Amino acid sequence: MEEPIILYEDNQIIVAVKPQNVPTQGDSSGDVSLLDQIKNYVKVKYNKPGNAFIGLVHRLDRPTGGVMVFARNSKSAERLCAQMENGTFEKKYLAVTVGTPLDRRAKLINWLVKNEETNTVRVALARTENAKQAELDYHVLEEADRIALLDVTLGTGRSHQIRVQLQNIGNPVFGDAKYGGDTLAKVHNLALWAYSLSFAHPVTKKTMVFKVFPPLEKTPWKYFNVEKYINTVKPE
């Protein structure tokens, strides 16, 4: 089993990079998940008998890559989840859309409903049964030929949220076969990347910020000056 890319670890948390097309946790595919990899990494490195505890604090869609934090004990998991609830846990994404949104900056607020059978999400009326409010802010950073680079900050963490909300304004994410973003990109990965994570350390309370680049050599990222917008050092 290939070892995951670890950005930071201590006895409370592990911060890692999720590759694209790897599930965050086990699913019906039976494929090895990032959670499985992190558990195995801890078990081997620290010679832990049995199953190592790793708390899943947040998720990324299978086709989405980027930075994630995992808890190494239940108390840290509880405190990180509390930050998710009170809005102090910040997740930022880069997305490449088909076309450029009409508004260069905007807050999108929608009500979303998930179909568990088809694993798809749709925008619905607020009074629709099981509808959940979803909020995000986006900013258009650059434009290229028929595509645009967006910085997206989540206000909520709904399933497929960014993909569905951007589709709803007529600008699906590049490479998104599920939500209409594959018109220009049938052979490319989804152009959605969790590039920044900010939270308070569950014990020290120190603000922790981690940033990672998307695959800059690949389409469509190579058409933009991504380094200009991410203040970090590219991983070796």
Side-chain angles (χ1 to χ4, degrees), residues 61 111-124 130 158-161 163-165 167 176-180:
D61 293 346
W111 289 82
L112 306 182
V113 174
K114 184 172 184 178
N115 184 325
E116 297 292 347
E117 292 184 4
T118 61
N119 191 32
T120 56
V121 177
R122 63 180 176 86
V123 173
N130 297 324
R158 309 304 181 196
S159 181
H160 300 187
Q161 175 179 340
R163 300 160 67 184
V164 175
Q165 289 192 276
Q167 177 209 35
D176 194 349
K178 183 166 285 190
Y179 297 106

Side-chain angles (χ1 to χ4, degrees), residues 4-6 8-18 23-25 33-39 42 53-60 66-73 76-77 80 89 197 199 202:
I5 298 173
I6 305 298
Y8 174 87
E9 64 180 295
D10 60 25
N11 58 4
Q12 303 297 327
I13 60 174
I14 289 183
V15 180
V17 179
K18 187 183 97 62
T24 296
Q25 62 185 128
S33 69
L34 180 60
L35 182 60
D36 295 329
Q37 290 181 303
I38 297 294
K39 287 181 177 180
V42 170
F53 176 89
I54 297 293
L56 185 64
V57 177
H58 61 121
R59 296 169 177 81
L60 291 177
V67 61
M68 295 188 68
V69 60
F70 297 84
R72 290 197 56 195
N73 55 67
S76 289
L80 288 171
F89 188 106
L197 200 59
F199 57 89

Side-chain angles (χ1 to χ4, degrees), residues 16-20 34 60 64-68 192-195 212-213:
V17 179
K18 187 183 97 62
Q20 291 188 277
L34 180 60
L60 291 177
T64 305
V67 61
M68 295 188 68
L192 183 61
W193 186 265
Y195 80 90
V212 293
F213 283 91

Side-chain angles (χ1 to χ4, degrees), residues 5-6 16 53 79 107 143 155 169 176 182-183 194 200 205:
I5 298 173
I6 305 298
F53 176 89
R79 289 173 178 171
K107 176 185 286 289
E143 296 176 66
I169 62 170
D176 194 349
D182 60 342
T183 53
K205 310 304 180 186

